[in-house]
Each structure stands twice: as C-alpha cells, then as structure tokens.
Amino acid sequence: MAEQLEFFPVQSPCRGICQSDERGYCRGCMRSRDERFYWQSMSDAQKQDVLRLCRQRLLRKIRANKAIPAEDPDQPSLF
C-alpha cells in the first residue's frame, strides 16, 4: 500500500498529564513509556500507528469504566 503524503509533521498527542496508569500507559495521551521515549525518532507512519493504538486504548478504557455498575448513587433517593 502506498504511503499517503503528509504536509505537516505528526504532532505529539501529549497533554501535559505525565502520569502512568496501572497498565503503564500515560493517563493523558495513552502512550506507553517506549512510545513516549522514541516519539521523536519515529517516522510519520509509525507515529500514525501509535496514535491509532492510543485511540484504541482510550476506547477500551472508556468501555471498561462504563461496565462498572454504580453501587451508591451520588444523590440519595427521595423515596
């Protein structure tokens, strides 16, 4: 498959929230430690692949959080 021409460099997805979650991914951008470390030396195609993986990780995390039922509502029932 031919590589698409990019007119602008792929920007880093960093949001300035540089904390790792329990799985080792950044809480802000969802990149692994190695993906963050080697970002500057990656080709644009590799960066696009990392961004795709980050989107998948974020969606997986959102789905997992929705699956957890709320035990106690934030506001008590009036009835």
Side-chain angles (χ1 to χ4, degrees):
M1 180 155 107
E3 189 172 326
Q4 181 177 345
L5 293 176
E6 296 289 337
F7 293 107
F8 301 102
V10 178
Q11 295 294 313
S12 170
C14 181
R15 296 175 175 230
I17 306 170
C18 300
Q19 298 174 352
S20 295
D21 65 7
E22 60 280 348
R23 296 185 58 107
Y25 298 116
C26 177
R27 293 182 189 274
C29 64
M30 299 304 294
R31 290 182 292 172
S32 70
R33 183 174 188 257
D34 286 341
E35 291 166 348
R36 292 189 311 266
F37 185 76
Y38 294 111
W39 181 261
Q40 295 300 322
S41 62
M42 290 181 182
S43 69
D44 283 349
Q46 291 171 317
K47 290 177 182 180
Q48 291 288 350
D49 191 44
V50 169
L51 293 176
R52 182 184 55 78
L53 291 171
C54 291
R55 282 189 289 273
Q56 289 176 349
R57 293 171 188 148
L58 179 62
L59 290 174
R60 211 172 315 145
K61 187 173 186 176
I62 290 171
R63 285 187 200 120
N65 288 339
K66 285 185 179 180
I68 300 171
E71 295 176 7
D72 295 326
D74 292 338
Q75 182 175 359
S77 174
L78 298 175
F79 302 105

